[in-house]
Amino acid sequence: MLEKDLESWFRKLCEYASKPGNEHVQSSIDIIDKCLENLNYDLNRFCISFNGGKDCTVLLHIFYTLLMKSLSNNRYRDSKPLALLILMPDNFPELNKFVESTVRRYGLNLITFDGPDFKSALKEFKHHPQYETITHIFMGTRNSDLSEPISYFQPTDEGWPSFTRVNPLLDWSYGQIWDFLLQLEIPYCSLYDRGYTSLGTRANTVLNPKLKDPNGSGYLPAYKLDDPRDERQGR
């Protein structure tokens, strides 16, 4: 991307984070900055998990903007950040298309492993000779996705390949995710505009009934959902 685009992204991100009520954004910036600094900005030590969903789209924009701003004057300037995609069977074509366009937009080095077994895919990733130095994976997990609390820096569970999961968005709400995407005009998957609120495969994802337009036969976009507790009614 052009240097002027990165400068614009960085400026807008900082301005947005400084607004009253957006302390959660600054907190995420601080978490990402701290982790990248501790890893010496070494692209061989970390990656970002990206599947095209709204949460990881927010994370990717913040992560990429901060990373590339920090790398602009050092030896990694022309390198591509590593993004990990675990492919699910029967994906939406629209989601696949969005992932492809996002990889181009941010200039990512996308690596894919076949799902749906996440543990097996991560084992394959962990033992791949080209990626065996990766220790940290940035993830777009929010507290509302979880049955038990985790930390911003969370080791993988026993029996799983050993990584540190970095979770900068834990404290974000559904509404805050959408406000960020809309206010900063960040492209997102078109399925959200059609009434989907949580994306999986075509087999387990339906239009959210809470978004059915009472004045017509269609559905409202995901950001119109009144109650965030209804987010998973589309899964």
Side-chain angles (χ1 to χ4, degrees):
M1 69 178 301
L2 297 177
E3 191 72 25
K4 64 178 182 180
D5 294 328
L6 178 60
E7 290 295 335
S8 175
W9 287 4
F10 184 74
R11 174 179 54 79
K12 290 179 180 179
L13 175 61
C14 293
E15 290 175 352
Y16 184 83
S18 68
K19 292 181 179 179
N22 287 348
E23 291 80 9
H24 59 287
V25 182
Q26 186 59 55
S27 175
S28 296
I29 290 173
D30 294 342
I31 292 166
I32 294 171
D33 272 339
K34 176 183 177 181
C35 186
L36 292 176
E37 183 177 0
N38 287 342
L39 294 171
N40 197 30
Y41 302 96
D42 186 344
L43 297 179
N44 296 311
R45 298 178 63 187
F46 58 84
C47 69
I48 183 168
S49 175
F50 183 72
N51 64 5
K54 60 187 181 301
D55 300 330
C56 60
T57 298
V58 167
L59 176 61
L60 174 59
H61 186 79
I62 302 174
F63 165 86
Y64 180 87
T65 301
L66 297 176
L67 174 63
M68 299 312 291
K69 178 67 174 176
S70 298
L71 298 185
S72 59
N73 294 316
N74 73 18
R75 64 189 184 282
Y76 293 113
R77 177 172 183 171
D78 297 323
S79 299
K80 294 183 176 182
L82 181 66
L84 172 64
L85 171 64
I86 297 178
L87 292 171
M88 294 293 104
D90 197 30
N91 249 1
F92 284 94
E94 295 90 342
L95 191 59
N96 293 334
K97 183 178 180 181
F98 175 69
V99 169
E100 293 172 2
S101 66
T102 302
V103 168
R104 292 193 299 270
R105 172 180 168 83
Y106 293 99
L108 303 175
N109 176 16
L110 183 70
I111 178 172
T112 61
F113 292 92
D114 290 332
D117 187 336
F118 275 81
K119 183 182 288 189
S120 296
L122 283 176
K123 284 182 179 179
E124 187 178 354
F125 175 53
K126 181 71 175 179
H127 298 298
H128 193 291
Q130 192 173 350
Y131 308 112
E132 59 187 5
T133 58
I134 299 294
T135 59
H136 289 64
I137 302 178
F138 287 82
M139 306 186 71
T141 305
R142 289 185 287 123
N143 278 319
S144 59
D145 301 325
L146 306 169
S147 57
E148 297 181 0
I150 62 173
S151 65
Y152 298 124
F153 301 94
Q154 181 79 20
T156 47
D157 297 335
E158 185 177 354
W160 283 68
S162 179
F163 293 103
T164 296
R165 292 172 287 171
V166 187
N167 306 297
L169 304 187
L170 277 183
D171 300 327
W172 289 48
S173 70
Y174 180 85
Q176 289 168 340
I177 290 290
W178 278 111
D179 189 71
F180 185 91
L181 290 171
L182 296 173
Q183 292 297 320
L184 272 66
E185 300 180 309
I186 298 169
Y188 55 83
C189 182
S190 62
L191 291 170
Y192 290 115
D193 285 336
R194 289 166 45 187
Y196 295 94
T197 53
S198 179
L199 301 180
T201 67
R202 288 188 290 184
N204 65 12
T205 305
V206 297
L207 293 164
N208 194 315
K210 296 293 185 178
L211 287 173
K212 190 170 178 60
D213 189 349
N215 300 314
S217 58
Y219 286 77
L220 300 173
Y223 54 82
K224 293 289 187 179
L225 188 68
D226 290 329
D227 191 338
R229 293 174 296 182
D230 294 326
E231 177 185 357
R232 299 294 177 183
Q233 288 210 23
R235 293 282 289 276

